[in-house]
Structures are given as structure tokens and as C-alpha cells.
Amino acid sequence: MLYEPDRHESRRRLAWDEGVVREAIAAIAADAESAFDAEQLWPIHPLDHTDLTPVTSYKSLYIGAAGVMWALHYLQAAGATQTTADWTAQMGRVHRAYLDAPETIVVMPAYLIGEGGILLVWWRMRPAGETADRLLDVIRSNAGHSSNELMVGTPGTMLAALFMHDWTGEERWRAAFLDGVERVWSTWCVQPSPQCWLWTQEFLGQSAVHVGAVHGAAGNLAVLLRGAHLLSTERRATLYVRAAEVLERTAVADEGGANWPQSVGQHREGRTVLLLQWCHGSPGVVGSMRHFPQQQGAQVESLLRRGGALTWEAGPLTKGPGLCHGTGGNGYTFLELYRRTGEVQWLERARGFAMHAIEQSRRMREQYGHGRYSLWTGDPGLAVYLWHCLVGAGGFPSVDVL
């Protein structure tokens, strides 16, 4: 099979109900606001707990307070919630708390689980020169990171530079992005099998050639494609050719669906698997091609559609409603295909997953007695997804939208 069935559950045939969705968004926001403690921030959910770090709260964009505050601030600004909490005033506290007790053991410049993402959210909420200057230093210090992926590596902080360039138009952010391009391009190599351009990830002392959106080639391509307008004409053309080859030559497909393996060659745990979630597999690969021009290749467009079809066939993920490896994240596959094609079936499928994810969130809250407070794995990320299903538009949080 193209995926592992035991990681999925049958779709509940729940009719789209805008009132239920709005209530779910409001409930998630209210619960997060009531659970917040100015000193302790948010408690770590048991499913997010790890013995590798001694901290009592997380602060990062991926799994900590910065991501939660961004989601709540974003929903407020969009008119999705009526709460009036001033999360901007708390972001300086989050930054200091990370520097004092980082969940990464040591302070890291990384985007998703480091100082870079925290600073970017802080600047987005309250533009300030000193925050921008510090962020630029952090981005520069992460250039050439050996992990070669979105979460902690150079591509992640390149994405932060792109956001800043979009918002400010300042040349220094363009220069920081292009410096990252040179570093990432220099480690982009042809793999003998499959015969295409991929990166090797060096992480926690081990090597792997990952394909997916968080730790692999798809995530790197997402950043390069988003910033393609800043590249030379020749390099941009090369990027499009290589991106198409990566998708076509790493895909595992049949007439009905397409997926992409976690890695090529031997994975660092001694195996490679066909996951079907945002971080590894079709959903993240489809989303990562957001800025790939449709006119560049019919084969790529066919694979993206088949990736969406497989995600629908497999059904929601058993891990819950979150974004990284949950039902909400997989639902973004359909929102992206709706944006890309204009075909209403994809929006209907996104909304079907949204209704199922609401039920999953309720079940988890009943099981644990409280919500799960993180952007990528928890309820705030789900709330953003629900809002995007309501309005029929929106990109993946912290990758496409911030």
C-alpha cells in the first residue's frame, strides 16, 4: 500500500456546519486564554512531553508559547474570535524565558524550535528596530547549518528572512535570504538512487536523505520556490527543473494515488516508511509546491492531485487534530489544491476533515482534562485551520502565513 492504514481512522460523515466551526474556534481560543499563566506560560501536554529537556514550558514557534500567541493574535486580527487579550505585551517575556531556559537545552537560532521564530513573531506583533536587528544576527548565524531542513536548519531561517523582506522591502533581508540560498545550493547533490537532486540531513549525529516538508527536500524546495523571484533567471529555471525531478523520481504512485517516502536509502532508524502526514508524506509535499508554477509540468500537477486523492482515501490521522502529524495538517492538502485548481471538491474535503478534527479535539480534551497548547501539534493550530476552511483560503501557519 501507499500508506499505513493503522495510522488512520474512518471519516465521520459530519455535515459542514459553520456555526459548529465558529463555536469550536471560540472555545479553543477561550480555553487557551484561561490556561495561560504569565510566569509559567502554558503547560506541556503529555503527548508533547519529552524527557530530553528539563523545562516546564515550551516557548518556540513550533510547539511553544510563541506559536500559541501568534495563532491567538492572528485569529483576533482576522475577526475569528472576540477575545481582547494583548498577546503582543507577552512576547518579550517569551523571548526572555527562552533565553533563560530553552527547550532546546542550549539557545539555538532555529526558526521552528529556536530563537529565530520567537523573534519573528515578536516583530510581527510589534515591529521594533532592536528586534529586527537581533533577528538578522540570528538568521546570519544559522547560515550553513548542517541539518539542511526547515525545523532547525538554514532553510527555516531563510524563510524568516523572506517574511521580513515581504513585510519591509528592506535589502538586508533579501541579502540574508540569498546568502542562505548559496549555502543550501552548495549542499544540493545528485543522489544515485533515485537519480535526482536531494539534500543529506545531519541531525543528532546521524545522517538521512529525507523527502518531506519538515525535515527534507520538500520543505527546502518550499522556501526556494517562495523566494524564486529573488533568484537569477538561470537559477530560477534550474530550480523548477530540479523540483519537478525530485517530485517525479521520489514519488511512489499508482493510478489512484501518490505518496512520497520518509527518506530515500536507509533511514537513520534503519527503515524508511510511507507516512501520510504534513511532516512526512503527500500532504506536506503537496503544500510545499504552493509556489511551483502550474505551467511548468503536467506530471507534477497530476502527482499533486493524486497526493490529495490518497490523503482523502486514507482518512483522518489517529494522532489527533493537529497540523504536523494530524488531521488539520492533512486538511491543508485540500485547501492548497482548492487554491491551485479552483475545484470545489477540494474545499468540501477540507471542510470534511475540519468537522472530523473538531470531534477529535473534543475527545482529546475529555481524555486529558485540558487542551493541547501548541501551534503545530495542538488546538490553536487547529483553530487557524478551521478559520481557513470557513473563509475558503489561507496557507499553512508559519510556512505560508504568519
Side-chain angles (χ1 to χ4, degrees):
M1 294 192 69
L2 301 183
Y3 64 95
E4 299 183 4
D6 60 352
R7 294 178 180 269
H8 300 264
E9 58 190 43
S10 299
R11 291 188 304 275
R12 295 199 59 188
R13 298 184 180 277
L14 300 169
W16 172 252
D17 189 320
E18 182 174 321
V20 169
V21 174
R22 290 186 181 276
E23 289 174 4
I25 294 171
I28 289 170
D31 176 57
E33 186 172 346
S34 65
F36 176 71
D37 181 278
E39 295 298 327
Q40 298 298 318
L41 304 175
W42 278 280
I44 299 173
H45 194 276
L47 295 177
D48 293 326
H49 179 76
T50 172
D51 293 332
L52 297 177
T53 178
V55 299
T56 57
S57 64
Y58 296 147
K59 298 87 177 177
S60 67
L61 179 55
Y62 175 82
I63 204 171
V68 177
M69 289 183 184
W70 172 81
L72 297 175
H73 179 83
Y74 177 83
L75 292 167
Q76 285 175 343
T81 64
Q82 301 301 315
T83 58
T84 58
D86 183 7
W87 300 110
T88 303
Q90 299 293 338
M91 278 305 302
R93 183 189 301 274
V94 174
H95 182 238
R96 291 192 298 273
Y98 174 76
L99 296 180
D100 290 342
E103 57 259 40
T104 49
I105 309 300
V106 297
V107 173
M108 295 177 60
Y111 177 56
L112 288 179
I113 56 167
E115 188 181 3
I118 296 170
L119 288 167
L120 188 66
V121 171
W122 191 11
W123 190 94
R124 184 59 165 158
M125 290 186 181
R126 184 188 66 87
E130 62 271 20
T131 307
D133 292 345
R134 173 65 182 172
L135 175 58
L136 185 60
D137 289 341
V138 164
I139 291 171
R140 287 171 172 165
S141 73
N142 206 44
H145 194 285
S146 63
S147 67
N148 270 332
E149 44 84 85
L150 188 68
M151 180 169 279
V152 302
T154 305
T157 41
M158 286 166 61
L159 182 57
L162 278 176
F163 275 122
M164 290 297 291
H165 186 260
D166 289 346
W167 299 332
T168 70
E170 293 177 4
E171 172 62 23
R172 59 178 177 164
W173 303 110
R174 176 180 176 275
F177 169 73
L178 291 177
D179 180 57
V181 170
E182 294 303 321
R183 306 298 184 99
V184 170
W185 206 276
S186 70
T187 58
W188 201 3
C189 303
V190 174
Q191 294 291 322
S193 180
Q195 189 73 21
C196 63
W197 293 80
L198 293 167
W199 288 271
T200 298
Q201 286 74 40
E202 301 288 344
F203 195 61
L204 299 178
Q206 297 176 311
S207 296
V209 182
H210 286 311
V211 179
V214 175
H215 297 297
N220 295 5
L221 288 172
V223 178
L224 291 171
L225 290 167
R226 181 181 180 135
H229 61 290
L230 300 178
L231 305 179
S232 67
T233 301
E234 180 181 358
R235 178 163 281 186
R236 185 163 58 248
T238 300
L239 170 62
Y240 294 152
V241 170
R242 290 185 183 181
E245 288 179 350
V246 168
L247 260 66
E248 293 166 9
R249 296 179 185 180
T250 61
V252 181
D254 59 25
E255 292 183 0
N259 200 2
W260 283 265
Q262 184 176 16
S263 56
V264 298
Q266 183 168 308
H267 179 246
R268 65 172 178 263
E269 294 175 357
R271 66 190 183 107
T272 187
V273 295
L274 284 167
L275 302 175
L276 195 61
Q277 52 200 41
W278 186 269
C279 51
H280 295 289
S282 275
V285 172
V286 173
S288 294
M289 293 299 106
R290 184 179 181 89
H291 296 280
F292 184 84
Q294 289 179 259
Q295 68 273 19
Q296 288 293 319
Q299 176 68 5
V300 169
E301 298 305 313
S302 173
L303 284 170
L304 297 181
R305 284 172 173 271
R306 283 188 279 169
L310 185 70
T311 302
W312 177 250
E313 173 195 313
L317 284 157
T318 59
K319 282 192 172 183
L323 301 184
C324 188
H325 33 256
T327 301
N330 280 19
Y332 269 109
T333 313
F334 312 131
L335 285 179
E336 174 55 26
L337 287 168
Y338 175 59
R339 184 198 68 81
R340 199 169 186 92
T341 68
E343 296 171 1
V344 176
Q345 67 162 338
W346 297 116
L347 178 59
E348 293 172 344
R349 290 176 174 184
R351 288 175 168 176
F353 267 39
M355 297 303 295
H356 191 105
I358 290 171
E359 291 297 308
Q360 287 182 311
S361 178
R362 288 174 177 167
R363 292 200 309 264
M364 290 185 67
R365 190 175 293 109
E366 291 173 359
Q367 179 181 355
Y368 291 98
H370 55 78
R372 190 173 181 180
Y373 310 110
S374 75
L375 176 60
W376 276 66
T377 66
D379 297 315
L382 170 62
V384 176
Y385 171 65
L386 297 178
W387 176 250
H388 287 164
C389 286
L390 267 175
V391 299
F396 197 89
S398 71
V399 176
D400 304 314
V401 175
L402 194 69

